Amino acid sequence: MIHNFRVSTRNVRSRRTNVSNKGPMSYQKTRMGQSESEHIHVASRQCSSGECTVLQPDVPLAVVEEILLNLPEHQVVRVCRLVCREWKELVDSAAHWRERCRREGIQPCDASRPPKDWRLFYFIIKKRRNLLKNPRADDDLQGWEIVQNGGDRWAAEENRKPFPDDTVTKCFITSYGLCLKRQLIDLTKEGYSGDFMDQLQPHIKISDWYAPRFDCGCQYEVCVELLDQKKKTIKSFQPEKVFFQQWNDEPWCQMTHVFKDYGRGVRFIRFTHGGVDTQFWAGWYGIRVTNSSVEICPAAEK
């Protein structure tokens, strides 16, 4: 049975007689800049047949570092960090999270402007997700603000033609009067602080899919704006409207754009899209849209 487990840090120099046979490795540098001479000392007491023997193995700090780097990040923060002061210092170090980013290919947009907090940077990139709600019409029009609702109004239906991603089965459909809808994304509420956005200016990737009906001409349009705290536009993307002629093959088309180097002050993202049929037919013969997305993403992705 093992009793009295504790962890502490000792320098090899204070235990020279016990580690002198370890050779030159004792003074090598580890990947994270720590000296190999630093060890985690584990003291334990093993009892057998009524007699106790004290075991005091030395664990190089580099080994502890490597173990932590191979554990899940949430476990490292919530569990390992609480083991002792030395482990807390390792987990809190910028070197630990910088090394995790390096190993996972996560890098800031501008290498000359590294993040102040590598742990914050790592977790925000790891939680990358689509910031738009209900982008595939699964919940009809919930989550969207209707800006224009012309003709027979916005509606949702099953896709007429298979979508490239077979998990996307529904779309939003427009009518013979202009139909526009939008969402306003509050970046602070989504976990992206002002300091993070201002300092790192991560890429903001937007995407939208649209398609016409084969038997009716139609128009598609989109506008995405980066807004400041007062919801004034800092940057915007508004390409030319897309027109489809009647008697087409109903192609699904993708629009993508990446905002880069947009400056300080971005606090909101406003995504607006929609369209209309061009032949003024009653019903829903206008453009179809679905699978829209807005993501905060690593700079490495083009």
Side-chain angles (χ1 to χ4, degrees), residues 38-39 80 91 93 99 112 116 125 136 156-157 163 172 177 198-199 234 240 269:
E38 296 179 83
H39 283 55
C80 300
V91 174
S93 69
E99 177 65 11
S112 67
K116 292 180 181 178
I125 297 302
R136 303 176 173 187
E157 70 173 12
F163 191 79
F172 302 98
D198 289 347
Q199 184 196 0
I234 294 176
E240 293 184 359
I269 303 173

Side-chain angles (χ1 to χ4, degrees), residues 91-125:
V91 174
D92 288 348
S93 69
H96 176 86
W97 300 101
R98 186 166 57 243
E99 177 65 11
R100 277 186 179 265
C101 287
R102 186 191 69 79
R103 293 188 182 193
E104 298 182 32
I106 299 173
Q107 296 298 325
C109 296
D110 185 349
S112 67
R113 191 170 53 193
K116 292 180 181 178
D117 189 330
W118 278 92
R119 180 168 67 176
L120 176 63
F121 175 75
Y122 175 86
F123 276 105
I124 288 180
I125 297 302

Side-chain angles (χ1 to χ4, degrees), residues 30 32 34 61-70 90 96:
T30 74
M32 294 171 62
Q34 300 287 346
L61 194 58
V63 174
V64 177
E65 292 171 346
E66 189 63 29
I67 291 172
L68 294 178
L69 285 167
N70 282 278
L90 284 176
H96 176 86

Side-chain angles (χ1 to χ4, degrees), residues 251-267:
W252 278 109
C253 305
Q254 184 182 24
M255 177 282 302
T256 61
H257 178 73
V258 179
F259 286 100
K260 307 174 185 178
D261 302 319
Y262 39 79
R264 301 170 63 87
V266 174
R267 299 296 180 267

Side-chain angles (χ1 to χ4, degrees), residues 133-201:
K133 309 297 188 270
N134 187 30
R136 303 176 173 187
D138 294 322
D139 299 315
D140 293 325
L141 289 162
Q142 290 186 31
W144 292 91
E145 176 191 355
I146 303 302
V147 181
Q148 296 281 344
N149 215 11
D152 286 322
R153 302 171 177 269
W154 278 100
E157 70 173 12
E158 298 293 323
N159 290 332
R160 291 171 52 87
K161 185 175 182 179
F163 191 79
D165 179 351
D166 59 13
T167 65
V168 181
T169 60
K170 297 184 67 176
C171 63
F172 302 98
I173 54 177
T174 62
S175 189
Y176 62 87
L178 181 62
C179 294
L180 294 174
K181 61 185 178 65
R182 69 186 179 193
Q183 283 193 38
L184 181 68
I185 299 168
D186 186 329
L187 291 171
T188 302
K189 289 184 178 179
E190 295 294 339
Y192 298 95
S193 70
D195 288 341
F196 176 82
M197 295 302 298
D198 289 347
Q199 184 196 0
L200 298 179
Q201 293 183 35

Side-chain angles (χ1 to χ4, degrees), residues 230-258:
K230 296 182 178 179
K231 299 184 177 63
K232 293 183 178 179
T233 302
I234 294 176
K235 291 277 187 178
S236 66
F237 171 71
Q238 188 171 14
E240 293 184 359
K241 298 173 183 178
V242 179
F243 292 90
F244 291 91
Q245 299 298 319
Q246 187 181 21
W247 310 122
N248 58 75
D249 61 357
E250 294 188 336
W252 278 109
C253 305
Q254 184 182 24
M255 177 282 302
T256 61
H257 178 73
V258 179

